[in-house]
């Protein structure tokens, strides 16, 4: 998996958009960008993934730069329940090997 | 869909005893399962990968005789911590993959908090 770099922590006001950046400058052409989050004392939860195009689902939006060297996860209206550690992972998605977790970004949503 | 059930969620055991943790895929067949370990305020670290019907592959530094993994069916994998010691206290998380779901396929259990006293 390509190495990813994320800020260790971020704060976001409740109700505002949370924009979490991720750098993956060595990502290969067949690696997807995955985002997971882990709420305290729970297992990781899948959020979204993408290859080249921007993606949106009911949880978040994923913006991938044209050169694919970085991406941003957007939580459009952060709530207190979005407080978690967010992990950005570059992975082929082939299913035969593990996801490798970095240190992630600790997002704190503040009332 | 794609739910992974992990049990128990919490367990306290005495030093020297063994503890079994179960990981079940409830609505899909898990061709591969992964076991992770997580210390407080640290990231997840892979312990081993298991494919149904074959021996698990352990990461460097993980004692296979201490952390026994069995993946006897497409819906169940177990991790047994043998002769547990206080340093084995940690948060253990399983993940199951359904290859038919391609890149959507990684699903995690809710984790097991093991405390060895």
């Amino acid at each position: 998996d390509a190495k990813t770099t994320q800020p260790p922590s971020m704060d976001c006001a409740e109700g505002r958009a949370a924009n979490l950046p991720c750098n993956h400058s060595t990502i290969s052409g067949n690696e997807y960008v995955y985002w997971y989050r882990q709420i305290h004392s729970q297992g990781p939860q899948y959020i979204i993934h993408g290859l080249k195009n921007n993606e949106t689902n009911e949880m978040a939006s994923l913006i991938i730069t044209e050169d694919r060297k970085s991406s941003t996860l957007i939580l459009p209206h952060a709530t207190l329940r979005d407080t978690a550690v967010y992990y950005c992972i570059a992975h082929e998605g082939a299913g035969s090997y593990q996801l490798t977790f970095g240190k992630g970004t600790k997002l704190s949503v503040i009332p | 869909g794609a739910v992974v059930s992990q049990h128990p969620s919490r367990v306290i055991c005495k030093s020297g005893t063994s503890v079994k943790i179960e990981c079940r895929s409830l609505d899909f067949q898990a061709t591969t399962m992964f076991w992770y370990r997580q210390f407080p305020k640290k990231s997840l670290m892979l312990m081993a990968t298991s494919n149904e019907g074959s021996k698990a592959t352990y990461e460097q530094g993980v004692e296979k005789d201490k952390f026994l993994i069995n993946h006897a069916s497409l819906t169940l994998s177990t991790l047994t911590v043998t002769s547990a010691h206080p340093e084995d206290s940690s948060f253990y998380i399983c993940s199951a993959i359904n290859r038919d779901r391609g890149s959507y396929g990684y699903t995690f259990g809710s984790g097991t908090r093991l405390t060895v006293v």
Side-chain angles (χ1 to χ4, degrees):
Chain A
D1 297 349
K3 178 180 169 59
T4 61
T5 304
Q6 299 177 252
S9 63
M10 292 182 66
D11 291 341
C12 177
E14 188 178 17
R16 304 298 293 268
N19 297 279
L20 291 90
C22 179
N23 286 323
H24 31 79
S25 58
T26 62
I27 194 169
S28 65
N30 57 347
E31 285 184 315
Y32 292 80
V33 179
Y34 283 81
W35 283 84
Y36 282 78
R37 73 179 182 184
Q38 186 179 24
I39 296 170
H40 182 62
S41 293
Q42 297 183 25
Q45 176 191 22
Y46 167 83
I47 301 173
I48 199 167
H49 76 284
L51 185 63
K52 294 181 182 179
N53 300 322
N54 298 338
E55 302 287 345
T56 296
N57 62 20
E58 64 277 5
M59 290 182 69
S61 295
L62 174 60
I63 307 299
I64 303 173
T65 57
E66 192 168 343
D67 63 8
R68 300 211 327 123
K69 292 185 177 182
S70 66
S71 61
T72 302
L73 177 74
I74 301 173
L75 307 179
H77 305 286
T79 70
L80 298 180
R81 286 180 292 182
D82 292 322
T83 293
V85 178
Y86 287 76
Y87 296 100
C88 167
I89 301 170
H91 193 271
E92 288 188 10
S96 60
Y97 60 101
Q98 76 283 2
L99 293 176
T100 302
F101 289 81
K103 296 181 180 180
T105 296
K106 174 68 191 298
L107 175 68
S108 299
V109 180
I110 302 167
Chain B
V3 177
V4 171
S5 173
Q6 189 172 340
H7 179 81
S9 58
R10 289 180 176 271
V11 59
I12 301 173
C13 72
K14 291 184 178 180
S15 186
T17 62
S18 295
V19 173
K20 180 183 285 188
I21 302 170
E22 292 188 350
C23 181
R24 293 181 183 272
S25 56
L26 297 186
D27 52 359
F28 68 98
Q29 293 186 327
T31 49
T32 303
M33 287 188 173
F34 307 96
W35 286 95
Y36 292 83
R37 181 175 183 176
Q38 186 176 33
F39 290 108
K41 297 187 178 181
K42 299 293 185 182
S43 190
L44 286 77
M45 293 194 64
L46 181 72
M47 298 175 66
T49 301
S50 72
N51 293 298
E52 184 266 337
S54 62
K55 290 184 178 180
T57 303
Y58 290 80
E59 295 299 299
Q60 191 173 10
V62 178
E63 299 175 60
K64 62 180 180 180
D65 294 330
K66 181 167 187 61
F67 299 100
L68 301 179
I69 292 172
N70 184 283
H71 191 166
S73 77
L74 283 170
T75 59
L76 174 64
S77 177
T78 60
L79 167 67
T80 301
V81 182
T82 62
S83 186
H85 290 286
E87 57 265 30
D88 298 324
S89 298
S90 190
F91 192 54
Y92 293 88
I93 306 168
C94 70
S95 173
I97 181 75
N98 179 358
R99 286 184 179 153
D100 293 337
R101 288 170 58 83
S103 54
Y104 293 88
Y106 295 86
T107 305
F108 288 81
S110 55
T112 297
R113 175 78 57 193
L114 171 64
T115 303
V116 184
V117 297

